[in-house]
Amino acid sequence: MAMEERKANRSRSHNVILENREKLSISGVEHVNNFNSELIILETVTGVMTIKGCDLDVNKLNLEDGNVIIHGTVYSLVYSDKDAFGSKGSGFLGKLFK
């Protein structure tokens, strides 16, 4: 991704709408790192989001607009910094695995 595109992505807003724990709409998504029926990992403009649940399904994915719609039963949403897992020695996990 070019530098100009990254700057444009940073200016995007990030919103999360969860309806009845069954429909999750997210804006400001930059990349989908991993997904299956129990775990979805997304890079958003505000950090990495991990979604855990049951029967999770990515119904709509438009990375140009940064929008994702997920259906299924959502158990948890967790944010972490983009580099939390990247470098040894930084953050909680880095200290744990020294």
Side-chain angles (χ1 to χ4, degrees):
M1 197 181 289
M3 182 73 125
E4 293 168 1
E5 289 178 47
R6 288 180 192 220
K7 286 181 183 178
N9 284 344
R10 296 275 179 238
S11 66
R12 283 188 192 166
S13 65
H14 172 64
N15 294 297
V16 177
I17 300 170
L18 179 60
E19 301 173 36
N20 298 318
R21 290 183 67 182
E22 295 175 351
K23 180 182 177 187
L24 181 61
S25 303
I26 307 168
S27 65
V29 175
E30 295 179 330
H31 185 71
V32 178
N33 289 342
N34 186 19
F35 74 92
N36 60 43
S37 64
E38 297 177 349
L39 177 71
I40 299 173
I41 301 174
L42 307 169
E43 285 185 36
T44 73
V45 294
T46 60
V48 175
M49 174 186 273
T50 302
I51 303 154
K52 292 183 182 179
C54 178
D55 298 324
L56 298 176
D57 184 36
V58 177
N59 283 25
K60 178 186 172 194
L61 173 61
N62 185 337
L63 292 179
E64 281 185 25
D65 294 337
N67 296 321
V68 174
I69 296 178
I70 298 166
H71 287 265
T73 304
V74 176
Y75 295 151
S76 70
L77 300 170
V78 178
Y79 284 96
S80 58
D81 290 335
K82 287 186 179 185
D83 59 353
F85 303 104
S87 60
K88 203 172 188 181
S90 68
F92 173 75
L93 289 178
K95 292 175 184 172
L96 221 139
F97 294 110
K98 272 189 175 180

